[in-house]
Amino acid sequence: MLGVRLDTELEERLANVARTQGRSKSDIAREAVRRYVELHDEAFRREARRQSQRASRRDTQEDYAFWERAEREDAAWR
């Protein structure tokens, strides 16, 4: 259950739309929230996919070489 406070003007506009469409304000608000979440959730999935693809193209040998150098330098300080 979710309660949402709307300013007077927006609530009146929502009531008008609901009345002209023969729907409840809750039904319209539910649809609006669903669409918003789907839009932004898809954007999140696209970004995660993009980063995953970018990471898979990295040269892992270069990464390993970096950490080997770091370990050698760390050992030299001991």
Side-chain angles (χ1 to χ4, degrees):
M1 179 74 183
L2 172 70
V4 178
R5 294 181 191 263
L6 303 175
D7 62 61
T8 305
E9 179 188 350
L10 183 55
E11 187 170 3
E12 288 172 0
R13 291 173 65 196
L14 177 59
N16 288 336
V17 170
R19 196 170 21 262
T20 60
Q21 293 185 1
R23 299 168 63 192
S24 71
K25 293 187 296 185
S26 292
D27 187 39
I28 293 171
R30 201 172 13 259
E31 180 183 345
V33 170
R34 180 185 52 77
R35 287 182 180 193
Y36 183 89
V37 169
E38 285 177 357
L39 172 69
H40 290 278
D41 189 40
E42 178 56 30
F44 175 78
R45 286 193 300 263
R46 273 195 313 268
E47 178 62 16
R49 245 186 333 268
R50 184 189 71 78
Q51 289 183 18
S52 177
Q53 289 168 345
R54 184 174 182 213
S56 69
R57 289 191 303 263
R58 288 187 57 150
D59 182 2
T60 54
Q61 289 303 95
E62 185 179 317
D63 289 343
Y64 289 133
F66 169 82
W67 289 111
E68 287 174 1
R69 281 192 309 275
E71 285 178 8
R72 282 194 306 271
E73 290 172 7
D74 184 52
W77 282 93
R78 290 186 208 170

